[in-house]
Amino acid sequence: MTAIFIVFIIRFLLSNLPSFGFDMGTWFGWANRLNSLGLSKFYSDTDWTQYTPGYMYWLWTIGKLGWTNEFAIKIPVLLADLGVGVLIWSLIRKVNLKLAYLSFFLYTLNPVVIFDGSIWGQIDGLLTLFLFLSAYYLIEKKNFVLSVLFWSFAFLIKPQSIAVLPALLMAVLIKKFKLKEIVIAGIVGTITILILSWPFFVDDPVLGLPRLVIKMTQYYTYTSVNAFNIWSWVGMWKSDTQLFLGISLASWGAILLGSSVVLTLFSFRKKLDQKSNYYLLFAILSLCFFLFPTKVHERYLFPFFAFLLTSAGLSKSINLIGIYIVTSIASFLNLYYPYSYYYPTQLRSDFLYNLSENLTKLVGFVFLMAYFALLFWEKLPKINFPNFFWQSQILLRRTNTGFPKLSLSKKTTKIIIGLILIFAFATRVFELGSPPKEYFDEVYHAFTARSILNGDIKAWEWWNTPPEGFAYEWTHPPIAKLGMVLGMKIFGENSFGWRIPGALLGVGSVFMVYLIAKRLFDDEAIGLIAAGVFSLDGLPLVLSRIGMNDSYLLFFILLSIYLFLKEKNFASAIVFGLALASKWSAIWAIPILGVIWLRRLIKNKSFKISTLWFLVLPFLVYFLSYLPMFLSNHSLSIWWEMQKQMWWYHTGLRATHPYSSSWWSWPFLLRPIYLYTSDEVGGWVARIYSMGNPLVFWFGLTSIIMSFIYARVERNKNLGFVVFSYLIFFVPWALSPRIMFLYHYLPSIPFMCIAIAYVLRRNPKLILGYLLICLLVFIYFYPHWAGLQVPLWLDKSYYWIGSWR
């Protein structure tokens, strides 16, 4: 009782905060209308009265009693929320009393539950109470009649109760109720709805309510009515009558909803012997109804939380509690957005508003990921609530004895890595010649490569005035430009010719990730997973499809590191020289090579004389890369002056750019870069956007943190080397005085992918699901990365975060 009293007082005090004016005004207007006209004349074709009769009885009561005020509107919802909380507590206390109290507070003080009922003034808590009672009598009491009765009450409050109807129908098949009970339940439900709706439809008692519900579904013809679901990717408040592949978006929403419900029921067909899974089924069906159809409001998700929390408590699952917390935060942002948008003077926090607006599409993605996570949650690594901290200690103290070997034959390994490389090649060369002209920094790099190809000595002179719209690229060493020259000699002086060498080196980088990961951990699976994840990231893809030097830099750095790991010092030194001759930022590989050398020195207690090649060969290769310049009658003094000009340029550059970003923001993928955009023609557009795969970046950052912990606690030096290599390639940019861009993060990505592979290898149940989701996200973003023509509505869906625009 103490807990109930505390929550009641908190909720009561919060109910004095400003309500959502339109909805509260509607309740007041309807209460007065019911008082003056009566129940039978309430519904009208001229006045907006599109709510089912359930809550109208309460509005009629307070209208008659003269209690038409905000507290009278909110008090039934407050009590309903407490009722649901008590029901959750009563179920979970049978498992764990402390967890039951925690669950009570997690629900009744959930920001979503508080904001919807105590502040906004909506009645979703009342709907949830009756839906929960329906589930309770179905699952706990096995009373189908009472379950259908309470569902009928819920339907009369809001028709959204049809979201969980498939769970009741599933019970008919799974629970094997007697035919007599099923028939009685159907009669009871039908009679309840007819009797309670009859006073409102005296002239049409049978069809009056169905016609009202149909009218309600036809009132909005929009993709999303402020719901941050998948249709927010297309854009909220867009017409859902527009066609895609000859089918309206509304019909696509119905197809997606139907498919998700069928998939959910199929997945749970053999799991409903456990009560926790049955509550989870109710939760997932509620999520489907919010996530997939059009015309959805931001509040439709509300019942989801009661069912999910109950399932989490009954199964003692930290995984489900984690999903509950994440989705609660996401849903709160969704609720806060329309509230603060329409009423900017009420409880307005610019930070929260801007955050909710900027994360609209990302929140939709979070809900989609939550759907799949819940659908297959039993495949996730299980950490039960009471033993969580104990299990964590055991995990961290476990010694690094290696991974259980997977049954991968050499032939199977070759087939898998072959398929990964074929995929990487195909995605990098598809439509590689488009756009046919130079774009972004190709106006420097590719233009200068063409000048070298045509024997123009100005390509080597920084003081010349280039043609309008172009510039001679002398601010970086020439290997990448010479590679483009070679490509054009083979394939012709065209965009495909100057891009194909970088694309091929991009494929080579995928293979290098595989070899390095395999070498470090002596595990084929880690190598294959790392290469697969790397091939699914967007940033390496985009930078290998453009005539710039980043793809060259990355390949030569990785190859040099791999050769040095294999103690092929001579070859490694030459390749490192090629990396330096591609871009000066190759120097960040020196600490990595130094760590490898020190570890080798400590292990072998001897110094290999071949290591000294690094004192000579890299500089020799770098110098020889300028041979074409010397052959065009430029002297050594010109070469030296060019090196100084390069240094002055990069240390003195103080330019600004709308798509520049700070080094710390790169792991969070906060500010990608537009490289190309076409004109909008006939509702279609092509853009090239240099950004990563969000699933790779964000899980990658998590994996780096986890890998650091593993490496520290288990003294795993190879894993520590991966984390060090990841950090050394981008953290030093904090000291750079020049403007920076996301593509400077590129050399860190291979090591981030290796960390991902290591974490997945330790949690093998995650592997298939993670790779599949990454592939789906890759396919979704691929036109945005490769400059393919897409309809404008699809293009608008790509900007999940405001800073991505």
Side-chain angles (χ1 to χ4, degrees), residues 227-453:
F228 291 1
N229 57 14
I230 63 169
W231 295 104
S232 67
W233 302 344
V234 177
M236 296 185 293
W237 296 96
K238 306 293 183 183
S239 173
D240 66 354
T241 59
Q242 59 182 305
L243 302 180
F244 177 64
L245 300 178
I247 302 175
S248 70
L249 296 183
S251 297
W252 277 115
I255 292 170
L256 289 172
L257 174 61
S259 302
S260 65
V261 170
V262 170
L263 176 61
T264 301
L265 295 178
F266 180 80
S267 299
F268 276 76
R269 70 193 188 283
K270 296 181 181 180
K271 303 177 182 178
L272 298 183
D273 54 329
Q274 298 181 30
K275 292 180 180 180
S276 61
N277 282 341
Y278 221 126
Y279 286 104
L280 186 59
L281 174 62
F282 274 85
I284 296 177
L285 290 173
S286 301
L287 179 59
C288 289
F289 194 79
F290 170 83
L291 192 55
F292 296 111
T294 60
K295 305 178 176 69
V296 171
H297 287 263
E298 67 287 327
R299 292 169 283 103
Y300 282 16
L301 187 62
F302 193 96
F304 161 82
F305 296 104
F307 295 122
L308 176 59
L309 185 59
T310 303
S311 178
L314 292 176
S315 59
K316 298 187 293 184
S317 170
I318 275 289
N319 293 334
L320 292 184
I321 290 178
I323 294 174
Y324 174 85
I325 293 172
V326 170
T327 51
S328 294
I329 295 170
S331 184
F332 173 75
L333 290 174
N334 193 173
L335 288 175
Y336 187 79
Y337 172 74
Y339 177 90
S340 55
Y341 175 83
Y342 289 107
Y343 298 96
T345 60
Q346 297 179 180
L347 306 180
R348 174 67 174 259
S349 162
D350 289 336
F351 170 76
L352 272 181
Y353 176 76
N354 292 331
L355 185 67
S356 61
E357 183 182 38
N358 289 332
L359 297 183
T360 299
K361 295 178 175 62
L362 180 59
V363 168
F365 183 76
V366 167
F367 288 135
L368 182 61
M369 291 301 99
Y371 168 70
F372 286 110
L374 292 174
L375 201 60
F376 305 109
W377 82 277
E378 290 181 331
K379 303 293 184 183
L380 300 176
K382 293 183 180 179
I383 306 176
N384 292 326
F385 179 79
N387 302 320
F388 170 66
F389 296 105
W390 174 78
Q391 288 186 357
S392 296
Q393 292 301 314
I394 295 297
L395 177 68
L396 294 176
R397 290 172 184 169
R398 188 174 66 192
T399 57
N400 185 33
T401 56
F403 302 103
K405 294 291 183 182
L406 296 180
S407 56
L408 291 174
S409 65
K410 289 185 177 181
K411 182 178 180 181
T412 302
T413 301
K414 288 180 180 179
I415 291 174
I416 295 175
I417 190 60
L419 291 174
I420 292 172
L421 294 177
I422 290 171
F423 172 81
F425 176 80
T427 54
R428 279 158 175 76
V429 301
F430 180 72
E431 292 289 331
L432 185 61
S434 178
K437 300 295 184 181
E438 294 91 342
Y439 71 96
F440 196 63
D441 281 1
E442 283 188 342
V443 298
Y444 313 133
H445 296 269
F447 166 74
T448 304
R450 290 173 58 197
S451 299
I452 294 172
L453 176 68

Side-chain angles (χ1 to χ4, degrees), residues 216-238:
M216 292 170 65
T217 62
Q218 294 175 343
Y219 183 77
Y220 290 110
T221 56
Y222 303 109
T223 49
S224 168
V225 189
N226 291 324
F228 291 1
N229 57 14
I230 63 169
W231 295 104
S232 67
W233 302 344
V234 177
M236 296 185 293
W237 296 96
K238 306 293 183 183

Side-chain angles (χ1 to χ4, degrees), residues 469-511:
F470 297 90
Y472 294 112
E473 207 298 299
W474 46 264
T475 64
H476 294 287
I479 279 294
K481 293 183 282 290
L482 297 180
M484 296 178 212
V485 170
L486 178 62
M488 288 186 284
K489 282 184 177 291
I490 298 173
F491 296 100
E493 189 176 342
N494 53 56
S495 57
F496 184 86
W498 69 64
R499 292 172 191 156
I500 187 62
L504 294 177
L505 292 181
V507 178
S509 293
V510 175
F511 190 53

Side-chain angles (χ1 to χ4, degrees), residues 9 49 188 204 230 281 465 584 766 771 797:
I9 294 299
T49 52
V188 167
D204 191 5
I230 63 169
L281 174 62
T465 302
W584 277 4
L766 293 175
L771 291 177
S797 74

Side-chain angles (χ1 to χ4, degrees), residues 12 25 35 46 72 121 138 141 240 278 290 302 335 377 417 511 614 654 729 750 765 772 804:
F12 171 76
N35 182 38
T46 56
L138 177 71
K141 304 300 182 181
D240 66 354
Y278 221 126
F290 170 83
F302 193 96
L335 288 175
W377 82 277
I417 190 60
F511 190 53
F614 276 89
R654 296 294 185 271
F729 273 123
K765 289 184 178 180
L772 178 60
W804 288 7

Side-chain angles (χ1 to χ4, degrees), residues 745-778:
Y745 186 58
L746 178 67
S748 291
I749 293 178
F751 299 96
M752 179 180 72
C753 291
I754 294 173
I756 291 174
Y758 182 88
V759 171
L760 290 176
R761 187 69 172 88
R762 292 190 68 146
N763 301 276
K765 289 184 178 180
L766 293 175
I767 295 174
L768 184 59
Y770 176 75
L771 291 177
L772 178 60
I773 295 172
C774 279
L775 176 61
L776 293 175
V777 174
F778 179 93

